[in-house]
Amino acid sequence: MILYLMCFFLFLVGLYGAITKRDLIKIILAIGIMGYSVNLFLILIAYRSGALAPILEKGLEFSMVDPLPQALVLTSIVIELGITALLAALAIRIYEKYDTLDITKIRRLKG
Amino acid sequence: MPVELWLYFILTVMIVGSIACLEIKNILSSIITIGIVGLALSLAFLFLGAPDLALVQFVFEILCVIILIRAFAKRSVKLTALKRDIPETVIAVVILAGIFVLSIFALKELPSFGKPIVSVAERYLTKAGMETGSQNIVTSIILNYRVYDTLGELTVLFTAILGSMTILRKIGRKKRDAK
């Protein structure tokens, strides 16, 4: 329970950054933090106390952790890298056009 | 030491690191701090019985830090002189604190830490070795049971890379044809 709460607090820290920061780089980093906390939350829910990693071995009859969230989080980590790269590319282009990364100054609509 | 104590420690490091990452003024230090947060996450995966995830998180975190440093630190982006809007920050903190209090009621309903409801996974755990012939059950799920999911993941990754190449190219197609 306390672990879940701390994990959710990490999500809220990321959300705080994404809401209040005016710098595009900080917003990209905040989105990354939110992704970390969601991944960690899924794995925390799947954990079974005293269990081993889900790798089969002959003669071992221990309980194993839930492998399904691990497979899905593996997908999610890879996608997060792609999103970060895309956001960084967009931020570089915006900086070339506007000479600033302050989101309150990026107002022109014309290219 | 039990796993919970390690996880409390790692999560504290992650929270402090992410707050520092958002508040530091220097952009290079900020990017390196998010690297620390990601590596702590990799350590947490290791304690939670997910070694595959720990390896993948480690590699991709380093790639992420390299991409961000290459994108921003070398271009000497000046951080805009930020005047802090006190009322906006206070409103945001109050609303987020409200969400946090509400989340306590929601998270109470979940099964407590260490005692999950394993219903779908029970079949994987007992039959995956026989049905797919893979020793690592995570591999057998990714590449056999849910292979369309992996195909979708690769499509998303390909689209993201294609998008960033398109955004970053210097010369558009029309200009090059005109030359």
Side-chain angles (χ1 to χ4, degrees), chain A residues 11-50:
Chain A
F11 182 83
L12 288 183
V13 169
L15 194 59
Y16 164 79
I19 291 174
T20 58
K21 295 294 165 190
R22 287 163 58 190
D23 193 344
L24 265 181
I25 303 173
K26 288 287 170 70
I27 292 175
I28 293 174
L29 296 182
I31 290 172
I33 291 170
M34 286 158 76
Y36 291 154
S37 79
V38 171
N39 289 346
L40 182 58
F41 187 66
L42 287 175
I43 297 298
L44 275 179
I45 282 185
Y47 183 72
R48 197 192 299 193
S49 46

mmCIF file of all heavy atoms in Angstrom, chain A residues 11-50:
data_model
loop_
_atom_site.group_PDB
_atom_site.id
_atom_site.type_symbol
_atom_site.label_atom_id
_atom_site.label_comp_id
_atom_site.label_asym_id
_atom_site.label_seq_id
_atom_site.Cartn_x
_atom_site.Cartn_y
_atom_site.Cartn_z
ATOM 1 N N PHE A 11 4.323 9.598 -9.966
ATOM 2 C CA PHE A 11 3.516 10.006 -11.119
ATOM 3 C C PHE A 11 3.079 11.456 -10.984
ATOM 4 O O PHE A 11 3.131 12.235 -11.937
ATOM 5 C CB PHE A 11 2.296 9.094 -11.231
ATOM 6 C CG PHE A 11 1.414 9.396 -12.404
ATOM 7 C CD1 PHE A 11 1.721 8.894 -13.647
ATOM 8 C CD2 PHE A 11 0.289 10.180 -12.247
ATOM 9 C CE1 PHE A 11 0.920 9.177 -14.722
ATOM 10 C CE2 PHE A 11 -0.515 10.463 -13.321
ATOM 11 C CZ PHE A 11 -0.196 9.953 -14.568
ATOM 12 N N LEU A 12 2.671 11.844 -9.744
ATOM 13 C CA LEU A 12 2.193 13.212 -9.545
ATOM 14 C C LEU A 12 3.326 14.214 -9.691
ATOM 15 O O LEU A 12 3.095 15.339 -10.149
ATOM 16 C CB LEU A 12 1.527 13.348 -8.172
ATOM 17 C CG LEU A 12 0.183 12.663 -8.063
ATOM 18 C CD1 LEU A 12 -0.408 12.915 -6.694
ATOM 19 C CD2 LEU A 12 -0.755 13.157 -9.113
ATOM 20 N N VAL A 13 4.556 13.825 -9.301
ATOM 21 C CA VAL A 13 5.699 14.726 -9.508
ATOM 22 C C VAL A 13 5.873 15.005 -11.000
ATOM 23 O O VAL A 13 6.054 16.150 -11.422
ATOM 24 C CB VAL A 13 6.982 14.107 -8.911
ATOM 25 C CG1 VAL A 13 8.200 14.885 -9.352
ATOM 26 C CG2 VAL A 13 6.910 14.104 -7.413
ATOM 27 N N GLY A 14 5.754 13.931 -11.812
ATOM 28 C CA GLY A 14 5.858 14.123 -13.257
ATOM 29 C C GLY A 14 4.746 15.001 -13.787
ATOM 30 O O GLY A 14 4.975 15.881 -14.624
ATOM 31 N N LEU A 15 3.530 14.792 -13.269
ATOM 32 C CA LEU A 15 2.384 15.587 -13.727
ATOM 33 C C LEU A 15 2.558 17.053 -13.356
ATOM 34 O O LEU A 15 2.280 17.954 -14.155
ATOM 35 C CB LEU A 15 1.110 15.027 -13.097
ATOM 36 C CG LEU A 15 -0.211 15.485 -13.679
ATOM 37 C CD1 LEU A 15 -0.272 15.136 -15.131
ATOM 38 C CD2 LEU A 15 -1.348 14.835 -12.951
ATOM 39 N N TYR A 16 3.091 17.296 -12.145
ATOM 40 C CA TYR A 16 3.370 18.662 -11.697
ATOM 41 C C TYR A 16 4.333 19.350 -12.661
ATOM 42 O O TYR A 16 4.122 20.494 -13.076
ATOM 43 C CB TYR A 16 3.952 18.617 -10.284
ATOM 44 C CG TYR A 16 4.622 19.884 -9.844
ATOM 45 C CD1 TYR A 16 3.876 20.969 -9.402
ATOM 46 C CD2 TYR A 16 6.004 20.020 -9.888
ATOM 47 C CE1 TYR A 16 4.492 22.135 -9.026
ATOM 48 C CE2 TYR A 16 6.629 21.170 -9.508
ATOM 49 C CZ TYR A 16 5.861 22.232 -9.081
ATOM 50 O OH TYR A 16 6.475 23.390 -8.715
ATOM 51 N N GLY A 17 5.395 18.605 -13.051
ATOM 52 C CA GLY A 17 6.351 19.188 -13.987
ATOM 53 C C GLY A 17 5.708 19.502 -15.320
ATOM 54 O O GLY A 17 5.936 20.565 -15.892
ATOM 55 N N ALA A 18 4.883 18.580 -15.810
ATOM 56 C CA ALA A 18 4.278 18.790 -17.123
ATOM 57 C C ALA A 18 3.287 19.947 -17.093
ATOM 58 O O ALA A 18 3.080 20.618 -18.091
ATOM 59 C CB ALA A 18 3.573 17.516 -17.582
ATOM 60 N N ILE A 19 2.647 20.208 -15.919
ATOM 61 C CA ILE A 19 1.669 21.291 -15.856
ATOM 62 C C ILE A 19 2.347 22.639 -15.695
ATOM 63 O O ILE A 19 2.062 23.582 -16.415
ATOM 64 C CB ILE A 19 0.687 21.054 -14.686
ATOM 65 C CG1 ILE A 19 -0.206 19.867 -14.978
ATOM 66 C CG2 ILE A 19 -0.172 22.272 -14.464
ATOM 67 C CD1 ILE A 19 -1.062 19.512 -13.806
ATOM 68 N N THR A 20 3.303 22.733 -14.741
ATOM 69 C CA THR A 20 3.751 24.075 -14.343
ATOM 70 C C THR A 20 4.995 24.549 -15.067
ATOM 71 O O THR A 20 5.224 25.747 -15.111
ATOM 72 C CB THR A 20 4.040 24.114 -12.837
ATOM 73 O OG1 THR A 20 5.022 23.128 -12.552
ATOM 74 C CG2 THR A 20 2.800 23.817 -12.049
ATOM 75 N N LYS A 21 5.829 23.663 -15.610
ATOM 76 C CA LYS A 21 7.071 24.130 -16.222
ATOM 77 C C LYS A 21 6.782 24.816 -17.555
ATOM 78 O O LYS A 21 5.857 24.433 -18.268
ATOM 79 C CB LYS A 21 8.039 22.965 -16.425
ATOM 80 C CG LYS A 21 8.499 22.366 -15.145
ATOM 81 C CD LYS A 21 9.337 23.345 -14.378
ATOM 82 C CE LYS A 21 9.482 22.865 -12.956
ATOM 83 N NZ LYS A 21 10.078 23.839 -12.085
ATOM 84 N N ARG A 22 7.619 25.808 -17.865
ATOM 85 C CA ARG A 22 7.422 26.527 -19.122
ATOM 86 C C ARG A 22 8.494 26.200 -20.138
ATOM 87 O O ARG A 22 8.483 26.719 -21.242
ATOM 88 C CB ARG A 22 7.417 28.022 -18.836
ATOM 89 C CG ARG A 22 6.139 28.439 -18.139
ATOM 90 C CD ARG A 22 6.290 29.763 -17.497
ATOM 91 N NE ARG A 22 6.658 30.793 -18.448
ATOM 92 C CZ ARG A 22 7.032 32.014 -18.106
ATOM 93 N NH1 ARG A 22 7.079 32.332 -16.841
ATOM 94 N NH2 ARG A 22 7.349 32.897 -18.998
ATOM 95 N N ASP A 23 9.425 25.338 -19.766
ATOM 96 C CA ASP A 23 10.518 24.977 -20.653
ATOM 97 C C ASP A 23 10.181 23.654 -21.340
ATOM 98 O O ASP A 23 9.763 22.710 -20.694
ATOM 99 C CB ASP A 23 11.775 24.826 -19.799
ATOM 100 C CG ASP A 23 12.996 24.754 -20.659
ATOM 101 O OD1 ASP A 23 12.828 24.511 -21.857
ATOM 102 O OD2 ASP A 23 14.090 24.941 -20.133
ATOM 103 N N LEU A 24 10.357 23.589 -22.665
ATOM 104 C CA LEU A 24 9.960 22.366 -23.378
ATOM 105 C C LEU A 24 10.787 21.153 -22.949
ATOM 106 O O LEU A 24 10.265 20.041 -22.865
ATOM 107 C CB LEU A 24 10.123 22.583 -24.880
ATOM 108 C CG LEU A 24 8.877 23.023 -25.614
ATOM 109 C CD1 LEU A 24 9.181 23.171 -27.082
ATOM 110 C CD2 LEU A 24 7.801 21.990 -25.451
ATOM 111 N N ILE A 25 12.082 21.359 -22.660
ATOM 112 C CA ILE A 25 12.929 20.226 -22.268
ATOM 113 C C ILE A 25 12.428 19.639 -20.957
ATOM 114 O O ILE A 25 12.332 18.420 -20.788
ATOM 115 C CB ILE A 25 14.390 20.669 -22.134
ATOM 116 C CG1 ILE A 25 14.853 21.290 -23.433
ATOM 117 C CG2 ILE A 25 15.279 19.508 -21.790
ATOM 118 C CD1 ILE A 25 16.212 21.895 -23.331
ATOM 119 N N LYS A 26 12.070 20.530 -20.014
ATOM 120 C CA LYS A 26 11.575 20.048 -18.726
ATOM 121 C C LYS A 26 10.274 19.277 -18.904
ATOM 122 O O LYS A 26 10.022 18.293 -18.224
ATOM 123 C CB LYS A 26 11.349 21.230 -17.772
ATOM 124 C CG LYS A 26 12.626 21.845 -17.265
ATOM 125 C CD LYS A 26 13.293 20.954 -16.246
ATOM 126 C CE LYS A 26 14.682 21.417 -15.896
ATOM 127 N NZ LYS A 26 14.720 22.630 -15.138
ATOM 128 N N ILE A 27 9.442 19.706 -19.857
ATOM 129 C CA ILE A 27 8.175 18.998 -20.079
ATOM 130 C C ILE A 27 8.444 17.605 -20.631
ATOM 131 O O ILE A 27 7.817 16.617 -20.223
ATOM 132 C CB ILE A 27 7.269 19.821 -21.006
ATOM 133 C CG1 ILE A 27 6.833 21.083 -20.286
ATOM 134 C CG2 ILE A 27 6.059 19.035 -21.430
ATOM 135 C CD1 ILE A 27 6.042 22.008 -21.132
ATOM 136 N N ILE A 28 9.434 17.497 -21.554
ATOM 137 C CA ILE A 28 9.773 16.173 -22.086
ATOM 138 C C ILE A 28 10.261 15.260 -20.962
ATOM 139 O O ILE A 28 9.852 14.092 -20.857
ATOM 140 C CB ILE A 28 10.851 16.314 -23.173
ATOM 141 C CG1 ILE A 28 10.278 17.045 -24.378
ATOM 142 C CG2 ILE A 28 11.384 14.964 -23.592
ATOM 143 C CD1 ILE A 28 11.302 17.353 -25.420
ATOM 144 N N LEU A 29 11.127 15.804 -20.077
ATOM 145 C CA LEU A 29 11.629 14.987 -18.961
ATOM 146 C C LEU A 29 10.492 14.581 -18.029
ATOM 147 O O LEU A 29 10.465 13.453 -17.522
ATOM 148 C CB LEU A 29 12.696 15.761 -18.188
ATOM 149 C CG LEU A 29 13.969 16.105 -18.960
ATOM 150 C CD1 LEU A 29 14.942 16.810 -18.062
ATOM 151 C CD2 LEU A 29 14.593 14.870 -19.530
ATOM 152 N N ALA A 30 9.528 15.486 -17.807
ATOM 153 C CA ALA A 30 8.406 15.171 -16.914
ATOM 154 C C ALA A 30 7.562 14.043 -17.487
ATOM 155 O O ALA A 30 7.111 13.159 -16.747
ATOM 156 C CB ALA A 30 7.561 16.417 -16.690
ATOM 157 N N ILE A 31 7.362 14.048 -18.816
ATOM 158 C CA ILE A 31 6.606 12.954 -19.439
ATOM 159 C C ILE A 31 7.350 11.635 -19.253
ATOM 160 O O ILE A 31 6.748 10.584 -18.980
ATOM 161 C CB ILE A 31 6.359 13.276 -20.919
ATOM 162 C CG1 ILE A 31 5.364 14.422 -21.033
ATOM 163 C CG2 ILE A 31 5.824 12.076 -21.667
ATOM 164 C CD1 ILE A 31 5.208 14.943 -22.414
ATOM 165 N N GLY A 32 8.688 11.685 -19.342
ATOM 166 C CA GLY A 32 9.476 10.484 -19.096
ATOM 167 C C GLY A 32 9.288 9.957 -17.687
ATOM 168 O O GLY A 32 9.162 8.748 -17.477
ATOM 169 N N ILE A 33 9.252 10.870 -16.711
ATOM 170 C CA ILE A 33 9.066 10.448 -15.307
ATOM 171 C C ILE A 33 7.715 9.768 -15.126
ATOM 172 O O ILE A 33 7.602 8.736 -14.444
ATOM 173 C CB ILE A 33 9.200 11.663 -14.377
ATOM 174 C CG1 ILE A 33 10.638 12.146 -14.359
ATOM 175 C CG2 ILE A 33 8.780 11.321 -12.969
ATOM 176 C CD1 ILE A 33 10.806 13.452 -13.668
ATOM 177 N N MET A 34 6.669 10.319 -15.760
ATOM 178 C CA MET A 34 5.352 9.691 -15.648
ATOM 179 C C MET A 34 5.386 8.262 -16.210
ATOM 180 O O MET A 34 4.802 7.334 -15.632
ATOM 181 C CB MET A 34 4.311 10.535 -16.379
ATOM 182 C CG MET A 34 3.945 11.798 -15.642
ATOM 183 S SD MET A 34 3.254 13.038 -16.722
ATOM 184 C CE MET A 34 1.641 12.390 -16.957
ATOM 185 N N GLY A 35 6.098 8.094 -17.339
ATOM 186 C CA GLY A 35 6.202 6.754 -17.909
ATOM 187 C C GLY A 35 6.892 5.780 -16.978
ATOM 188 O O GLY A 35 6.447 4.641 -16.814
ATOM 189 N N TYR A 36 7.978 6.235 -16.318
ATOM 190 C CA TYR A 36 8.681 5.366 -15.370
ATOM 191 C C TYR A 36 7.735 4.885 -14.285
ATOM 192 O O TYR A 36 7.729 3.706 -13.926
ATOM 193 C CB TYR A 36 9.811 6.118 -14.676
ATOM 194 C CG TYR A 36 10.982 6.483 -15.520
ATOM 195 C CD1 TYR A 36 11.770 7.571 -15.200
ATOM 196 C CD2 TYR A 36 11.306 5.737 -16.628
ATOM 197 C CE1 TYR A 36 12.843 7.923 -15.969
ATOM 198 C CE2 TYR A 36 12.373 6.077 -17.398
ATOM 199 C CZ TYR A 36 13.147 7.170 -17.068
ATOM 200 O OH TYR A 36 14.198 7.509 -17.814
ATOM 201 N N SER A 37 6.951 5.812 -13.730
ATOM 202 C CA SER A 37 6.124 5.438 -12.582
ATOM 203 C C SER A 37 5.041 4.453 -13.003
ATOM 204 O O SER A 37 4.728 3.540 -12.243
ATOM 205 C CB SER A 37 5.511 6.677 -11.947
ATOM 206 O OG SER A 37 4.409 7.089 -12.684
ATOM 207 N N VAL A 38 4.497 4.612 -14.212
ATOM 208 C CA VAL A 38 3.458 3.665 -14.642
ATOM 209 C C VAL A 38 4.051 2.272 -14.817
ATOM 210 O O VAL A 38 3.480 1.261 -14.364
ATOM 211 C CB VAL A 38 2.803 4.159 -15.943
ATOM 212 C CG1 VAL A 38 1.906 3.095 -16.509
ATOM 213 C CG2 VAL A 38 2.016 5.403 -15.680
ATOM 214 N N ASN A 39 5.241 2.204 -15.442
ATOM 215 C CA ASN A 39 5.886 0.895 -15.604
ATOM 216 C C ASN A 39 6.141 0.240 -14.258
ATOM 217 O O ASN A 39 5.861 -0.946 -14.062
ATOM 218 C CB ASN A 39 7.220 1.069 -16.329
ATOM 219 C CG ASN A 39 7.034 1.427 -17.770
ATOM 220 O OD1 ASN A 39 5.941 1.290 -18.289
ATOM 221 N ND2 ASN A 39 8.079 1.888 -18.402
ATOM 222 N N LEU A 40 6.669 1.028 -13.318
ATOM 223 C CA LEU A 40 6.995 0.477 -12.002
ATOM 224 C C LEU A 40 5.735 0.003 -11.291
ATOM 225 O O LEU A 40 5.739 -1.034 -10.624
ATOM 226 C CB LEU A 40 7.711 1.535 -11.167
ATOM 227 C CG LEU A 40 8.154 1.066 -9.796
ATOM 228 C CD1 LEU A 40 9.063 -0.123 -9.944
ATOM 229 C CD2 LEU A 40 8.873 2.151 -9.056
ATOM 230 N N PHE A 41 4.618 0.735 -11.472
ATOM 231 C CA PHE A 41 3.368 0.361 -10.803
ATOM 232 C C PHE A 41 2.876 -0.998 -11.297
ATOM 233 O O PHE A 41 2.463 -1.848 -10.501
ATOM 234 C CB PHE A 41 2.325 1.442 -11.055
ATOM 235 C CG PHE A 41 1.062 1.256 -10.297
ATOM 236 C CD1 PHE A 41 1.071 1.362 -8.924
ATOM 237 C CD2 PHE A 41 -0.108 0.965 -10.941
ATOM 238 C CE1 PHE A 41 -0.086 1.180 -8.208
ATOM 239 C CE2 PHE A 41 -1.267 0.783 -10.231
ATOM 240 C CZ PHE A 41 -1.252 0.884 -8.868
ATOM 241 N N LEU A 42 2.942 -1.213 -12.614
ATOM 242 C CA LEU A 42 2.476 -2.500 -13.145
ATOM 243 C C LEU A 42 3.307 -3.652 -12.596
ATOM 244 O O LEU A 42 2.771 -4.714 -12.233
ATOM 245 C CB LEU A 42 2.547 -2.480 -14.671
ATOM 246 C CG LEU A 42 1.489 -1.613 -15.336
ATOM 247 C CD1 LEU A 42 1.713 -1.558 -16.817
ATOM 248 C CD2 LEU A 42 0.121 -2.186 -15.060
ATOM 249 N N ILE A 43 4.627 -3.445 -12.512
ATOM 250 C CA ILE A 43 5.474 -4.528 -12.017
ATOM 251 C C ILE A 43 5.264 -4.739 -10.519
ATOM 252 O O ILE A 43 5.295 -5.863 -10.024
ATOM 253 C CB ILE A 43 6.944 -4.233 -12.346
ATOM 254 C CG1 ILE A 43 7.121 -4.198 -13.857
ATOM 255 C CG2 ILE A 43 7.851 -5.298 -11.795
ATOM 256 C CD1 ILE A 43 6.809 -5.485 -14.516
ATOM 257 N N LEU A 44 5.006 -3.645 -9.778
ATOM 258 C CA LEU A 44 4.747 -3.775 -8.340
ATOM 259 C C LEU A 44 3.496 -4.604 -8.085
ATOM 260 O O LEU A 44 3.462 -5.416 -7.164
ATOM 261 C CB LEU A 44 4.558 -2.391 -7.709
ATOM 262 C CG LEU A 44 5.770 -1.599 -7.272
ATOM 263 C CD1 LEU A 44 5.315 -0.275 -6.725
ATOM 264 C CD2 LEU A 44 6.530 -2.339 -6.221
ATOM 265 N N ILE A 45 2.464 -4.398 -8.906
ATOM 266 C CA ILE A 45 1.225 -5.158 -8.710
ATOM 267 C C ILE A 45 1.465 -6.637 -8.989
ATOM 268 O O ILE A 45 0.897 -7.510 -8.340
ATOM 269 C CB ILE A 45 0.127 -4.589 -9.626
ATOM 270 C CG1 ILE A 45 -0.418 -3.316 -9.011
ATOM 271 C CG2 ILE A 45 -1.007 -5.559 -9.795
ATOM 272 C CD1 ILE A 45 -1.561 -2.755 -9.756
ATOM 273 N N ALA A 46 2.349 -6.944 -9.952
ATOM 274 C CA ALA A 46 2.531 -8.338 -10.341
ATOM 275 C C ALA A 46 3.384 -9.117 -9.364
ATOM 276 O O ALA A 46 3.444 -10.336 -9.456
ATOM 277 C CB ALA A 46 3.169 -8.396 -11.724
ATOM 278 N N TYR A 47 4.086 -8.452 -8.425
ATOM 279 C CA TYR A 47 5.059 -9.158 -7.595
ATOM 280 C C TYR A 47 4.385 -10.076 -6.585
ATOM 281 O O TYR A 47 3.400 -9.699 -5.957
ATOM 282 C CB TYR A 47 5.935 -8.140 -6.861
ATOM 283 C CG TYR A 47 7.011 -8.781 -6.054
ATOM 284 C CD1 TYR A 47 8.097 -9.374 -6.677
ATOM 285 C CD2 TYR A 47 6.951 -8.814 -4.670
ATOM 286 C CE1 TYR A 47 9.086 -9.982 -5.934
ATOM 287 C CE2 TYR A 47 7.940 -9.401 -3.932
ATOM 288 C CZ TYR A 47 8.998 -9.987 -4.576
ATOM 289 O OH TYR A 47 9.971 -10.592 -3.833
ATOM 290 N N ARG A 48 4.935 -11.283 -6.465
ATOM 291 C CA ARG A 48 4.449 -12.222 -5.450
ATOM 292 C C ARG A 48 5.586 -12.427 -4.469
ATOM 293 O O ARG A 48 6.708 -12.709 -4.884
ATOM 294 C CB ARG A 48 4.089 -13.532 -6.121
ATOM 295 C CG ARG A 48 3.219 -14.411 -5.277
ATOM 296 C CD ARG A 48 3.140 -15.786 -5.862
ATOM 297 N NE ARG A 48 2.560 -15.812 -7.209
ATOM 298 C CZ ARG A 48 2.175 -16.947 -7.782
ATOM 299 N NH1 ARG A 48 2.280 -18.078 -7.149
ATOM 300 N NH2 ARG A 48 1.697 -16.943 -9.000
ATOM 301 N N SER A 49 5.312 -12.290 -3.169
ATOM 302 C CA SER A 49 6.428 -12.267 -2.215
ATOM 303 C C SER A 49 7.117 -13.621 -2.158
ATOM 304 O O SER A 49 6.477 -14.673 -2.134
ATOM 305 C CB SER A 49 5.931 -11.848 -0.835
ATOM 306 O OG SER A 49 4.761 -12.545 -0.532
ATOM 307 N N GLY A 50 8.437 -13.585 -2.179
ATOM 308 C CA GLY A 50 9.229 -14.793 -2.137
ATOM 309 C C GLY A 50 9.288 -15.541 -3.446
ATOM 310 O O GLY A 50 9.703 -16.695 -3.471
#
